[in-house]
Amino acid sequence: AQSVAQPEDQVNVAEGNPLTVKCTYSVSGNPYLFWYVQYPNRGLQFLLKYITGDNLVKGSYGFEAEFNKSQTSFHLKKPSALVSDSALYFCAVRDPNNNDMRFGAGTRLTVKP
Amino acid sequence: EAGVTQSPTHLIKTRGQQATLRCSPISGHTSVYWYQQALGLGLQFLLWYDEGEERNRGNFPPRFSGRQFPNYSSELNVNALELEDSALYLCASSFGANYGYTFGSGTRLTVV
């Protein structure tokens, strides 16, 4: 089955600085990759996805992610962090052969003023 | 367009009881997914229903079960509740494999 690893439980950045949240994946075929964000006591909100095409994917709220097939990574990035970006971020991979999605353990991003 | 709706928002049960959680997907979505989010454990895949059939289940005991109705809404049942079943249960729906999931706000189940 497909799997995702988010190696950092916590990422702290200062407002205005660039941020990166790391994700690596394992899947048997071509991956469908996703990033979601979760605010306190809420469900997950979709940020962006990679299915095929350009390796750099742009999503909501100024976030982007780069698909790197050789490193099996899909890191989430933003050039300038905002305090309001503070939340829990989940990377997910979907194997199109079995259709269900598996999530990483999540990374808590804290942006300090 | 209405999003994915889950009910109830909160549910308190005692150990040994049964809990029933409900989910209505976005109109047109035929697949419904259930996840458990326990404190500090991320999202654990529970069940996937599509067109009324169970398509896959995660590594959970049989007392976690569910069904999908003809209108594509879904129910998650947890029997013989244990304290460690306390978690946020999230339902999601999707249109197909190329699409992401749309999540509901979840049901917070507390077992006392």
Side-chain angles (χ1 to χ4, degrees):
Chain A
Q2 65 271 37
S3 65
V4 172
Q6 293 181 242
E8 303 156 316
D9 292 336
Q10 174 96 24
V11 170
N12 298 313
V13 298
E15 188 174 31
N17 283 359
L19 69 87
T20 299
V21 183
K22 296 179 181 177
C23 171
T24 58
Y25 66 89
S26 173
V27 68
S28 58
N30 292 321
Y32 292 178
L33 296 159
F34 302 82
W35 276 100
Y36 288 83
V37 60
Q38 186 179 34
Y39 297 99
N41 298 313
R42 300 294 302 276
L44 276 67
Q45 297 177 28
F46 171 78
L47 274 180
L48 51 80
K49 67 178 179 182
Y50 171 83
I51 303 297
T52 186
D54 193 350
N55 289 344
L56 184 64
V57 180
K58 294 189 182 297
S60 306
Y61 312 120
F63 284 93
E64 58 189 28
E66 185 166 12
F67 171 62
N68 187 317
K69 188 172 183 177
S70 63
Q71 297 185 2
T72 63
S73 68
F74 190 56
H75 301 331
L76 181 70
K77 300 181 180 183
K78 187 173 183 180
S80 178
L82 300 172
V83 172
S84 57
D85 292 330
S86 298
L88 189 56
Y89 289 81
F90 290 94
C91 181
V93 63
R94 192 172 192 175
D95 184 340
N97 295 318
N98 66 29
N99 207 30
D100 66 86
M101 196 180 299
R102 304 300 167 105
F103 287 80
T107 298
R108 184 161 301 281
L109 172 68
T110 302
V111 182
K112 298 182 178 179
Chain B
E1 175 185 85
V4 176
T5 57
Q6 291 187 245
S7 62
T9 306
H10 294 86
L11 189 58
I12 299 175
K13 294 284 186 177
T14 56
R15 195 168 50 181
Q17 284 189 314
Q18 180 199 38
T20 298
L21 288 63
R22 296 179 177 84
C23 172
S24 293
I26 287 177
S27 177
H29 288 189
T30 62
S31 283
V32 170
Y33 310 83
W34 288 95
Y35 288 85
Q36 182 195 66
Q37 187 178 21
L39 196 61
L41 292 180
L43 270 74
Q44 304 296 315
F45 169 68
L46 266 166
L47 289 159
W48 166 32
Y49 291 97
D50 182 64
E51 297 285 358
E53 301 284 334
E54 181 182 302
R55 302 296 184 183
N56 201 6
R57 69 178 289 129
N59 189 25
F60 280 84
R63 57 191 185 83
F64 287 84
S65 65
R67 54 180 170 166
Q68 187 179 33
F69 299 98
N71 66 355
Y72 302 117
S73 67
S74 178
E75 207 172 74
L76 173 69
N77 295 296
V78 188
N79 294 321
L81 285 165
E82 300 178 3
L83 296 178
E84 52 265 34
D85 296 333
S86 297
L88 181 67
Y89 288 83
L90 292 168
C91 172
S93 71
S94 76
F95 184 70
N98 285 358
Y99 299 84
Y101 291 178
T102 301
F103 280 85
S105 296
T107 293
R108 172 75 60 187
L109 173 64
T110 302
V111 183
V112 297

